[in-house]
Amino acid sequence: MISLKFFKPSLATTLAIVLAWLLSVRPAQAGYTVTLQQVGLDVVATGRGAIDLRGLTFSNSTFLVPQITPSFHRLGTNDMGCSISTGPIQSGVDSYRGASGPLSFGGGGNTFAISGSGNMVGIAAGSSSEFTGVLLSVPRGYASGTFLSDSATYGNFLGPGFRDSGATLATLGVTPGTYVWRWGSGANQNFTLQIKTPGPASTSIWYLNNTAFVTGTSAPTLPVGWIVVGVADFNGDRQPDYLLYNTSTHQTAVWYLNSNVFVSGAFGPTLPAGWKVVGVADFDSDGRPDYLLFNPTTGQTAIWYLSGTSFVSGAFGPSLPDGSDWDLVAVGDFNADGKPDYVLYSPAYGQTAIWYFNNNVFVGGVFGPTLPFNWRVVGVADFNGNNKPDYLLFNASTRQTAIWYLSGPTLVAGAFGPRIVSGYTLIGAADFNADGKPDYVLYGPYGPSVQ
């Protein structure tokens, strides 16, 4: 097995420590609340509050990982239940019985988190022949009434212990609303899950000089239900445009931009269920960008040839190896033949690979560099101006970005880029101010992300 490097999360700032202390000494808390909402391309749970353990009975000590199960039902039985836990990737907890509350908060199955931090807290409710009731889990040795805070980012399940980013409330199978588990009438004797209905999302552009942050600016706010899945020049004006995707209808659209300013928009084709846009590139050399599609369930790839936003035709590309844990994550020309190539990623080992193409025909493949734990490829661009594509990396736990400079598939050097502000997701890079240097595109629901 390939050895993976681990990155230690940064320590909380002094301000955050002081704030947490002030909150912890308040005389009354409204219990513990987890807010689950769409943040960029991911779904993020943020928990905070205090828990009064009086009235609960100790059950056992164990380990938890951050995960979410809106609904569990064992076929052929009346067994059902639900659970959610937030916090670091694995942590010891003490579990207590005695609470009561809902047995589901949606219809989805189990999804593990791609990252997490803070205190491990969880709730699990079930009704079965093996266990009926609610298990509340808190950090091992927790002092009743002490303030807690944590977060977890949930993505798509790829295999035991390994996840990919890019989830929505719909793919997680959760139902927006408020769900409460109680074990008394005290202020801190409840656990509340608030699942927020998605609202309009904002975008921002961070202008860079290689890895150095220059300035940031607000960009267009998206309609409810739409996310940014790609950036490319669709109308030939040499200005990058947004490729949008509606998570409910599977419709695509293009928003034409002049730097950070919205000019106009047009609908693109609707994707079949189970398919996602991985990237945009000109596969048939007609000077117009095409969609690179991937079906994570079947491993099948496809190219949709476009004229502007109009679908012209489609062709299947090769399928990723059957039963493998490889994912298609990006596209770029790595062998300088003028033909876009696939970038693959194995979450199990952190390994990347390049598949060389002639249009939709596989030509050959080679391994690329191995990523450290918790890092992922979010885009490909030429950051150092040597006409060779580089990896744009993002660590969702630390919010850190990095550039890995490549010569073909070979890692030459690496450098950290700016850290992304909380609540925003880095989705790619393109040159928005025509200075010949790629800039970051950020997506999130909280308003301008200017540093």
Side-chain angles (χ1 to χ4, degrees), residues 290-317:
D290 310 305
Y291 290 177
L292 172 58
L293 305 182
F294 178 56
N295 188 319
T297 302
T298 65
Q300 181 74 61
T301 69
I303 297 166
W304 275 14
Y305 303 105
L306 304 181
S307 176
T309 58
S310 299
F311 175 78
V312 176
S313 64
F316 286 116

Side-chain angles (χ1 to χ4, degrees), residues 114-341:
I114 59 173
S115 63
S117 62
N119 307 116
M120 177 62 75
V121 181
I123 197 97
S127 175
S128 70
S129 57
E130 300 174 357
F131 171 78
T132 297
V134 176
L135 277 180
L136 173 70
S137 299
V138 294
R140 194 166 294 174
Y142 172 68
S144 181
T146 304
F147 181 79
L148 298 162
S149 66
D150 54 49
S151 68
T153 301
Y154 301 99
N156 298 319
F157 182 69
L158 292 179
F162 306 105
R163 280 74 60 188
D164 184 23
S165 66
T168 66
L169 296 179
T171 61
L172 293 182
V174 300
T175 301
T178 300
Y179 305 84
V180 183
W181 293 264
R182 293 185 174 88
W183 56 93
S185 58
N188 296 334
Q189 293 181 310
N190 60 81
F191 182 111
T192 301
L193 172 61
Q194 294 180 339
I195 304 176
K196 292 192 172 183
T197 302
S202 62
T203 66
S204 294
I205 297 170
W206 280 8
Y207 300 107
L208 301 184
N209 182 353
N210 201 335
T211 60
F213 174 80
V214 178
T215 187
T217 184
S218 299
T221 296
L222 308 183
V224 175
W226 291 83
I227 61 176
V228 180
V229 293
V231 181
D233 177 12
F234 280 87
N235 57 355
D237 66 351
R238 299 185 179 180
Q239 300 279 344
D241 309 306
Y242 285 173
L243 174 59
L244 306 184
Y245 174 70
N246 188 303
T247 58
S248 298
T249 66
H250 310 300
Q251 176 85 51
T252 66
V254 175
W255 274 16
Y256 303 108
L257 303 182
N258 183 354
S259 186
N260 66 314
V261 178
F262 173 78
V263 177
S264 64
F267 286 116
T270 297
L271 304 187
W275 290 80
K276 66 178 181 178
V277 177
V278 171
V280 180
D282 180 12
F283 280 87
D284 57 356
S285 301
D286 67 348
R288 296 165 176 165
D290 310 305
Y291 290 177
L292 172 58
L293 305 182
F294 178 56
N295 188 319
T297 302
T298 65
Q300 181 74 61
T301 69
I303 297 166
W304 275 14
Y305 303 105
L306 304 181
S307 176
T309 58
S310 299
F311 175 78
V312 176
S313 64
F316 286 116
S319 294
L320 273 60
D322 184 41
S324 74
D325 66 353
W326 287 90
D327 191 18
L328 180 60
V329 296
V331 61
D333 180 12
F334 284 84
N335 57 353
D337 65 351
K339 309 282 187 181
D341 307 308

